[in-house]
Amino acid sequence: MLTAGPAWTATADSPQTPAPLLDGADEVLVLTHQCDLAFVEACLRPARAAGARVTVLYDATADRPEPAVTATGAVRDVLPVPVVCRSGGAFRARVVISASPTAAVVSIGSGDATPDGWLRNTEAWTHLRADGASVPTFITDLADWLRRLPGQLWIEAVGAERLAAVADLLTARPHAAEHDEPMLLTNDVVPIVEQLPFPSGADRLSIAAPEFDPAGRALGEIARSVRAARTRLLLPAGVRCDPVGLLVALDDAGEFDVQTPVSPRYLHAGAIEWWTGGAGVLVGGGLTCTPEALLSTSAEPGGNCELGLLLEVTESLLDAVEARDIGLDDDDLRPLPPAVTTAGPRVLAVRRHADRMEAALVAAGATAPDGLVVTVGEAAVKLPWTGAEGRLHTYSGEGPSLDGRNAQVRAADGTALGNAPVTDVAGAVTRFSHASPLETLPLPAVLPDAALVEALFAAVAQLAEGRTPRHGVPAAERRASEEERLRAAVGPALLDLAFGRAAIRAGDDTDDDSVAATVAGLDAPQRDRLRQLVLRLGGAAAGWPLPARLAAFRIVLVLAAGGLWPEPQDWTPLVAAGLDALVATDDEAFAGEQAALATVGLAAVHHGHRLAPLSGFADLRAAVRLDQAPPEDLVARYTEGLAGPVLGEAFGAEDVAADAGDLLVRSAFDDAVDAIPESIGTVQRTDGGGVLVGTGKDPRRTTLLVLDLLRDFPDTHVTVRGTAGTETHGWWNGRRLILLSPFGGRWRGSLWPGLMTGIATYAKGASPLPAAARTWITEVPEMGEG
């Protein structure tokens, strides 16, 4: 059954589609003239998270916001398909399709997939839903047009494949025509004006359009065909037209009104409406009142590729717009600027594959460059020419896989050709099997809902399922394969959290959108439940592969910084345990992320240790061993947002790097301490650079043993505690030995100034120490009179 209804878009404050999307859609297809890819990705993230493949086809020649290069990598949530019309005209179809095997929602309107078109402007849309056992003629006509569309465009093979996939899904059910269906208008075979069922005479005609041709040819054709008693033009401020041409066309139309909307929102409707008595007909789809849109086919030179919708209405869409009268000499009417044609090649897209990069451009055969140089940031790849189909040229080559939303493309001779989005095709068309809640919600919004938290932690656990083979596979290639596999399971948002590509506002309790503010707003049962879930996550993470441990530890660290455990004696051991699990094993493919997050984690634990001393901190510090300095940019990203009451207001990237520089310096002394046999006892480092040993043996003799093992590090302060509460302190510099032992609530020091043969024989018990040369009593166990 087909249901339809035209409507104006509502104002929205956040990125969202102007069209209702089908729940459980397998495919979402957006056709648009202009496109802001980053904006569209944000709008369609919920559909992507729900499992839909998302394709966005747009005019590569249209002026549009250039997507910024960001740390989140290549375009992944959507598959961008830039196209060029073979006719040399503009691609101006604007439609949003969401479909499954059992239903489809199709929205045809006037708004481009940009913040203006989907949020700020006043746009006209008609939403149609087709569900049930069969599909109406409107849907089959749309599917047929999608299959014909590649013949009108210069389009890459992947784009044609995606159009065919959506068309096949739309027609997965049998066809059955319905009464009073809307009529799909396309201009690939017949001009749109020749398809309109004009009356022999109408009471009134209304046209709302953002553009008219200078001579008013299209307006004159419509006015003569409808022969309305009164014609109304509804023109937005700054309408592109020639007032003289409009006046000539309207002189043949009889009575007319020229109006402009009262609302400051830009009216970009592109609609034609006529009424005879109580019967109305609406033509929607954002059509401009120009010959390229209405009087030409897309096969004629300069003809646009258009898609519109004709339906009968019982209420006027255009009459609902509050407007005021203006004259044709009004300043709001702007002369139409001369058409500007851009010569030279037009780059479409850069595609990333596991083993190669590909690019496509449209150019006249003789003008296509022999090769391209594609650059993102400081990285560049040379792509030789590999073939052509008509004016569509392809380039492919091996080299590093470039990440970035926008690549600069030059010809091999250095000529700048423009920018193009970088796309991982395999990632964009993969359907997520266990998408995390972070695909649609920020972490702070997930925390109050126990079910969402469990879903998030279940997605983290999915990162531990299955592994890419490590043997014989280069780290870079394995990383790419592993990321692709994990993204297919949980979506990119959780990977961005794990790999430091997503910033999280955590510690600032004055920010209403931070983790700290969310935690502060939880009631006692919610806090207890969240703590239990986090403890369970931390306990499970110890045996997981590194990507899952990165995600788990970052969540623990962020929640600690957000104040889930307010006291340092509560959160420091938890973060320390998570850090210990993080560094338990290595993985070369993700070594940079492990080193960076471990650095930040150790700085956090060190901060808590200073507030509430942590038993075993020296061992943890020793366990975090880095073969090389972690990437500074990753350290900065993992650190961002953690500063606040828990970790301190100065917990920033520079402070973390400085702290970690002191904590992570690995020396020969560290190796010597690690080499002390376990049979001697438990060995820990102290903050002062000494060694603390717990033993069940004689403390005095054990002190001599440890001092002898550390003889290459003179005057190391060694403290040995026995099981009976006895304690001995010692210092040895190769000749002079000092020992301190408890004596009547204080300490008795003993000095041997010239043990020329060393202390090895005394440490092994082969002979007793001689009498001390000097003794004294002191209040504290320091080197003292030594």
Side-chain angles (χ1 to χ4, degrees), residues 7-9 32-34 92-94 108-114 116-125 207-211 234-240 260-261 263-272 283-289 306 317-318 321:
W8 296 108
T9 51
T32 181
H33 177 55
Q34 293 183 326
R92 300 188 67 92
R94 299 175 179 94
I108 296 176
S110 59
D112 284 321
T114 64
D116 282 339
W118 282 11
L119 290 183
R120 304 187 188 113
N121 293 346
T122 297
E123 307 279 0
W125 287 86
I207 299 176
E211 180 180 338
L234 186 59
L235 309 180
V239 61
R240 301 176 67 200
T260 192
S263 170
R265 293 181 70 196
Y266 181 69
L267 181 77
H268 186 258
I272 304 170
V283 178
L287 301 170
T288 58
C289 201
E306 301 279 359
L317 181 72
L318 298 185
V321 178

Side-chain angles (χ1 to χ4, degrees), residues 590-618:
F590 303 98
E593 287 81 1
Q594 183 185 33
L597 188 53
T599 298
V600 179
L602 185 61
V605 175
H606 189 218
H607 177 76
H609 173 65
R610 288 194 294 260
L611 299 175
L614 175 69
S615 175
F617 176 74

Side-chain angles (χ1 to χ4, degrees), residues 134-146:
S134 60
V135 293
T137 302
F138 168 79
I139 294 294
T140 58
D141 287 349
L142 177 61
D144 289 342
W145 179 75
L146 290 176

Side-chain angles (χ1 to χ4, degrees), residues 83-122:
V83 299
V84 174
C85 288
R86 297 186 182 216
S87 65
F91 181 82
R92 300 188 67 92
R94 299 175 179 94
V95 60
V96 179
I97 302 169
S98 53
S100 74
T102 59
V105 174
V106 177
S107 297
I108 296 176
S110 59
D112 284 321
T114 64
D116 282 339
W118 282 11
L119 290 183
R120 304 187 188 113
N121 293 346
T122 297

Side-chain angles (χ1 to χ4, degrees), residues 1-328:
M1 175 177 161
L2 184 69
T3 56
W8 296 108
T9 51
T11 305
D13 296 326
S14 59
Q16 64 181 50
T17 63
L21 299 181
L22 179 70
D23 291 338
D26 290 8
E27 300 278 357
V28 173
L29 172 64
V30 176
L31 305 180
T32 181
H33 177 55
Q34 293 183 326
C35 181
D36 182 327
L37 281 175
F39 171 77
V40 173
E41 280 192 306
C43 291
L44 294 174
R45 187 162 290 122
R48 188 75 175 103
R53 300 180 183 92
V54 178
T55 304
V56 182
L57 187 149
Y58 59 93
D59 192 332
T61 68
D63 293 332
R64 64 187 187 277
E66 291 290 358
V69 177
T70 71
T72 57
V75 177
R76 294 172 301 183
D77 286 345
V78 303
L79 177 67
V81 181
V83 299
V84 174
C85 288
R86 297 186 182 216
S87 65
F91 181 82
R92 300 188 67 92
R94 299 175 179 94
V95 60
V96 179
I97 302 169
S98 53
S100 74
T102 59
V105 174
V106 177
S107 297
I108 296 176
S110 59
D112 284 321
T114 64
D116 282 339
W118 282 11
L119 290 183
R120 304 187 188 113
N121 293 346
T122 297
E123 307 279 0
W125 287 86
T126 300
H127 310 299
L128 305 102
R129 182 182 179 94
D131 49 21
S134 60
V135 293
T137 302
F138 168 79
I139 294 294
T140 58
D141 287 349
L142 177 61
D144 289 342
W145 179 75
L146 290 176
R147 295 187 180 102
R148 299 194 307 268
L149 188 55
Q152 306 171 55
L153 308 171
W154 296 117
I155 183 174
E156 298 168 273
V158 65
E161 291 168 2
R162 300 307 308 135
L163 292 176
V166 174
D168 290 345
L169 190 60
L170 288 173
T171 53
R173 294 167 285 160
H175 166 243
E178 295 187 11
H179 179 64
D180 292 335
E181 285 187 40
M183 177 181 174
L184 188 73
L185 301 172
T186 64
N187 71 332
D188 56 322
V189 178
V190 178
I192 285 178
V193 72
E194 296 181 17
Q195 303 173 54
L196 301 181
F198 293 122
S200 57
D203 296 334
R204 52 198 173 97
L205 168 68
S206 295
I207 299 176
E211 180 180 338
F212 295 78
D213 63 279
R217 283 181 54 212
L219 173 60
E221 181 72 21
I222 298 295
R224 285 189 297 271
S225 298
V226 176
R227 290 180 295 170
R230 192 168 197 91
T231 298
R232 176 192 182 219
L233 295 188
L234 186 59
L235 309 180
V239 61
R240 301 176 67 200
C241 67
D242 181 350
V244 176
L246 292 187
L247 182 60
V248 171
L250 289 172
D251 278 345
D252 294 336
E255 298 293 328
F256 65 87
D257 301 297
V258 181
Q259 296 184 325
T260 192
V262 172
S263 170
R265 293 181 70 196
Y266 181 69
L267 181 77
H268 186 258
I272 304 170
E273 187 180 87
W274 63 82
W275 287 82
T276 305
V281 174
L282 174 68
V283 178
L287 301 170
T288 58
C289 201
T290 62
E292 295 80 10
L294 297 176
L295 309 184
S296 302
T297 69
S298 60
E300 298 177 44
N304 292 344
C305 182
E306 301 279 359
L307 181 139
L309 184 70
L310 183 145
L311 68 164
E312 296 180 353
V313 291
T314 57
E315 293 183 4
S316 172
L317 181 72
L318 298 185
D319 284 354
V321 178
E322 184 180 359
R324 61 178 176 84
D325 292 332
I326 59 172
L328 285 176

